[in-house]
């Protein structure tokens, strides 16, 4: 239980703290990284950009130019045939923001009613009301794409910069409306849409 608590609670806080440091690194951290890099020196602006990239998308072994090549886990293995993937399959290498956004969306969806179930697939996490899908979450480096069982005519107001009709566009998720969730300020709007999609699944 202690180990589980560390993973769930402590790790989340550490990720958030590292994300904050990567976004706005203090002078001492920049100096320590610069000293560890040695020559040739790297400018502060380049270090800040690098920290932001590394935190949001960890570099692959091919990007390492010097030193011994290290084996890096490619993520959780695929589950046995017929079994579910784990949440870590989608969140293992994501930023603290993406993890937080997923947790909020997951809490919103699963609290809608006792008839909600969740299925974790290779490309997405789907939410169902009974046998009908009402929400699918697909994960990218800087946003969570929500695919909702809605049609364009049923949505008012329409938020053009983050929403689009994908009924005629191929995508992994199940749902005709795509909503790009990229920050916590959007959660209230996302909740409204998720609830609307859930309610329409009862029709």
């Amino acid at each position: 239980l202690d180990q589980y608590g560390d993973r769930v609670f402590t790790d989340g806080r550490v990720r958030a703290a590292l994300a904050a440091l990567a976004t706005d690194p203090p002078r001492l951290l920049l100096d320590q990284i610069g000293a560890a890099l040695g020559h040739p020196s790297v400018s502060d602006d380049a270090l800040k950009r690098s920290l932001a990239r590394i935190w949001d998308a960890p570099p692959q072994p091919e990007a390492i130019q010097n030193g011994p090549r290290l084996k890096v886990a490619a993520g959780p293995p695929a589950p046995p045939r017929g079994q579910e993937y784990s949440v870590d399959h989608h969140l293992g290498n994501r930023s603290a923001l993406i993890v937080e956004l997923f947790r909020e969306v997951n809490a919103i969806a699963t609290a809608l009613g006792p008839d909600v179930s969740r299925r974790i697939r290779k490309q997405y996490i789907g939410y169902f009301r009974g046998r009908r899908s009402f929400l699918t979450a697909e994960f990218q480096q800087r946003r969570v794409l929500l695919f909702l069982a809605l049609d364009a005519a049923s949505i008012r107001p329409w938020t053009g910069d983050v929403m689009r009709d994908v009924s005629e566009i191929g995508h992994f998720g199940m749902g005709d409306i795509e909503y790009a969730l990229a920050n916590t300020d959007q959660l209230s709007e996302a909740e409204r849409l998720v609830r609307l999609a859930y309610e329409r699944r009862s029709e």
Side-chain angles (χ1 to χ4, degrees), residues 72-185:
V72 178
R81 185 177 180 84
Q83 295 186 23
E84 294 259 321
Y85 282 79
S86 70
V87 172
D88 282 346
H89 171 75
H90 293 283
L91 299 181
N93 291 325
R94 304 301 181 191
S95 67
L97 174 61
I98 296 300
V99 173
E100 180 183 0
L101 292 175
F102 164 71
R103 288 177 177 168
E104 293 292 338
V105 169
N106 183 69
I108 290 167
T110 55
L112 289 172
D115 54 353
V116 173
S117 61
R118 186 181 76 178
R119 301 174 193 173
I120 306 175
R121 299 295 187 249
K122 182 177 182 179
Q123 303 294 347
Y124 57 81
I125 297 178
Y127 296 83
F128 295 76
R129 183 172 191 176
R131 293 186 176 183
R132 296 183 175 185
S133 169
F134 68 92
L135 168 67
T136 298
E138 181 183 324
F139 301 86
Q140 298 186 342
Q141 289 298 334
R142 298 183 182 276
R143 60 185 185 169
V144 180
L145 296 182
L146 304 181
F147 294 93
L148 301 136
L150 296 169
D151 57 80
S154 68
I155 301 175
R156 297 290 185 275
W158 180 272
T159 309
D161 56 338
V162 297
M163 295 172 62
R164 63 173 180 160
D165 184 343
V166 293
S167 56
E168 302 296 329
I169 302 173
H171 56 280
F172 289 115
M174 293 180 284
D176 289 341
I177 298 299
E178 177 191 278
Y179 184 86
L181 180 62
N183 61 73
T184 55
D185 293 340

Side-chain angles (χ1 to χ4, degrees), residues 24-46:
D24 186 19
R27 178 74 262 162
L28 178 60
L29 178 60
L30 292 174
D31 290 343
Q32 289 177 331
I33 294 174
L37 288 175
H39 295 287
S41 62
V42 178
S43 70
D44 287 352
D45 287 342

Side-chain angles (χ1 to χ4, degrees), residues 42-60:
V42 178
S43 70
D44 287 352
D45 287 342
L47 281 178
K48 290 177 182 179
R49 290 194 300 270
S50 180
L51 282 169
R53 286 193 303 270
I54 290 169
W55 177 247
D56 192 53
Q60 298 301 311

